[in-house]
Every structure is written in C-alpha cells, then in structure tokens.
C-alpha cells in the first residue's frame, strides 16, 4: 500500500481530534444515520448547543472524517449545510467496491497457495503497521493508551470500534467490518491480517509487554480485540 508523505503527522492530528468524547459522539451519530444531517439536528440528537456542534464538526472535517455539503432541492429559504461521515473503505449497500474485490482475490490466493495462510497474513498485517502507519514514539505504553490509538485506527478504517470496560483486560469491540463478506469466506486470512496489524501497532508503540488477541465473530455480528499486560 502506497502511503503519502506526511501520513504520520496527519494521523497524529486525527488521534487528537478523536480524543474528544463529544467529537466521537457526533461521528457515531453521523455514521449511524442513513442521510446527511444539519448541525441543528445533530445538536438535538446529542443534546449539545449548535455552536458547540459546529466547532467539533469543523475539527472532524479538517482530518477528513466527515464532509460538508449544501442541501439540494430547497423549495424556499436558504439551503442548509449538511454533514455526512466519510467511509473510504466502505462498499455501500449492495455494491462491491474495488477494494473489496481486491480483498477477495488476495484472501483466496493466500488461502489456496500458502501452506500457512494465517501466519502469512498476520506477518503482512504486522509489516503494514511497521511500514505504513506513520511514526510513533514512547515506550511502555499502558494497555489503555494503546487501546486509544488502536480504537482511533479502527475508527478511521470503518470498523465502528467501542472500548468496553473490563477488570481483567482492555477490550475493543468491533461493530462493523469493511470487508465482512471477505472475512466470512476466509476468516483465517482476513482476521489474521487484522491481528497482525494490531500487533504491529503494539511494536511501534513500544508496548511489547502487552499481549493481544482477536476473536472473530465473538457475537453474531461483532469481533473482539483484547489487550492484556503480561
């Protein structure tokens, strides 16, 4: 995967934007909605002042997580400014995107032509994180700090992640998968790739003391990533 120069600084900016609970709330509301929404509608939905909403929406626009558009076909009055979530990896309803087609081909190739497709896919995920996800710093990160970075990454990729409270380990529930149809057919390949991505991020963060697992389809429609300090 080719990565543009400056990806590391851009990702750091995204992490900072999503550190705000209100911005995550607004992003979740836009992702859950079937249509674009006005700032006033989001304010009512999230119980926030409309000025506060516009401030946070502008921050989300700057890092490319949402887009703004002008309302069309207005019978009277000024057209409103509407907001929608960006989903660069999503395939849409009933449509197979180029990314998804490519994923089907690669997953099937790994599964057919490798004696150990799961380890090969995990290694590819690790290398993806090490090569393409920008510079990180620090060592000995806590599981909670690491989970925030991973949650942001998964949110950017369209997995709709949710941090779950636990007294034993840090849990990240993934409510969506951009490549669900591929993962259903070849879970060993696709899910191992995502596990490798998680482990590569841990390496980049200097969090080698944290063990990670990924349970595909922990429920009928979600997967579960777990982080535990050893």
């Amino acid at each position: 995967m080719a990565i543009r120069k400056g990806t590391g600084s851009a990702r750091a900016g995204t992490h900072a934007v999503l550190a705000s609970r209100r911005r995550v709330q607004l992003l979740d509301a836009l992702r859950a909605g079937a249509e674009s929404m006005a700032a006033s509608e989001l304010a009512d939905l999230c119980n926030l002042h409309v000025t506060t909403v516009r401030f946070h929406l502008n921050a989300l626009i700057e890092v490319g997580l949402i887009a703004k558009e002008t309302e069309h076909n207005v019978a009277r009055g000024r057209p409103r400014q509407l907001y929608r979530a960006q989903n660069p990896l999503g395939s849409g309803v009933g449509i197979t995107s180029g990314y998804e087609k490519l994923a089907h081909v690669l997953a099937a190739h790994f599964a057919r032509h490798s004696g150990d497709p799961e380890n090969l896919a995990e290694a590819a995920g690790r290398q993806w994180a090490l090569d393409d996800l920008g510079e990180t710093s620090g060592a000995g990160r806590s599981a909670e700090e690491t989970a925030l970075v991973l949650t942001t990454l998964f949110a950017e990729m369209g997995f709709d992640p949710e941090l779950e409270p636990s007294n034993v380990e840090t849990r990240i529930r993934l409510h969506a998968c951009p490549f669900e149809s591929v993962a259903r057919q070849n879970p060993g390949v696709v899910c191992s790739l995502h596990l490798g991505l998680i482990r590569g991020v841990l390496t980049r963060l200097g969090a080698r003391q944290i063990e990670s697992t990924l349970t595909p389809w922990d429920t009928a429609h979600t997967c579960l990533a777990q982080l535990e300090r050893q």
Side-chain angles (χ1 to χ4, degrees):
M1 178 183 292
I3 298 296
R4 298 185 301 273
K5 185 177 181 181
T7 297
S9 60
R11 188 171 301 280
T14 304
H15 291 168
V17 167
L18 290 180
S20 164
R21 177 180 57 81
R22 289 180 176 177
R23 289 172 190 161
V24 173
Q25 181 185 14
L26 290 167
L27 182 59
D28 285 345
L30 286 170
R31 284 179 170 161
E35 299 179 352
S36 301
M37 301 176 67
S40 58
E41 294 172 324
L42 287 164
D44 290 340
L45 183 63
C46 299
N47 196 27
L48 297 171
H49 192 279
V50 67
T51 302
T52 301
V53 167
R54 290 195 180 100
F55 170 77
H56 290 308
L57 290 173
N58 286 336
L60 290 166
I61 289 172
E62 287 180 3
V63 295
L65 290 174
I66 68 171
K68 182 168 68 172
E69 57 194 23
T70 301
E71 185 178 25
H72 299 294
N73 302 321
V74 179
R76 61 176 61 185
R78 296 179 58 185
R80 299 178 300 169
Q81 295 298 304
L82 303 177
Y83 301 86
R84 58 178 172 81
Q86 297 276 49
N87 189 15
L89 293 182
S91 58
V93 178
I95 300 173
T96 301
S97 70
Y99 281 112
E100 195 169 10
K101 288 179 181 177
L102 177 61
H104 273 287
V105 171
L106 292 176
H109 178 82
F110 273 35
R112 286 197 306 266
H113 300 289
S114 171
D116 195 352
E118 294 184 8
N119 281 341
L120 183 62
E122 183 182 332
R126 286 178 182 266
Q127 200 61 46
W128 177 11
L130 294 174
D131 289 346
D132 295 345
L133 295 184
E135 294 299 326
T136 58
S137 60
R141 298 285 189 97
S142 69
E144 291 76 15
E145 291 172 318
T146 303
L148 178 60
V149 174
L150 286 169
T151 300
T152 301
L153 174 62
F154 278 125
E156 292 171 355
M157 294 174 67
F159 283 84
D160 191 13
E162 176 189 7
L163 276 172
E164 291 187 344
S166 172
N167 294 327
V168 179
E169 72 279 313
T170 301
R171 300 155 61 98
I172 306 173
R173 184 163 300 282
L174 306 175
H175 290 273
C177 177
F179 303 113
E180 180 175 351
S181 63
V182 191
R184 294 284 187 184
Q185 292 182 21
N186 290 288
V189 173
V190 177
C191 300
S192 293
L193 177 71
H194 295 148
L195 177 60
L197 176 64
I198 292 171
R199 291 176 173 173
V201 170
L202 294 179
T203 298
R204 295 217 64 157
L205 293 175
R208 294 178 177 84
Q209 78 284 3
I210 297 176
E211 291 290 332
S212 58
T213 59
L214 178 62
T215 305
W217 319 123
D218 178 66
T219 70
H221 301 289
T222 67
C223 301
L224 183 66
Q226 294 171 273
L227 308 176
E228 185 174 3
R229 181 181 289 274
Q230 298 300 301

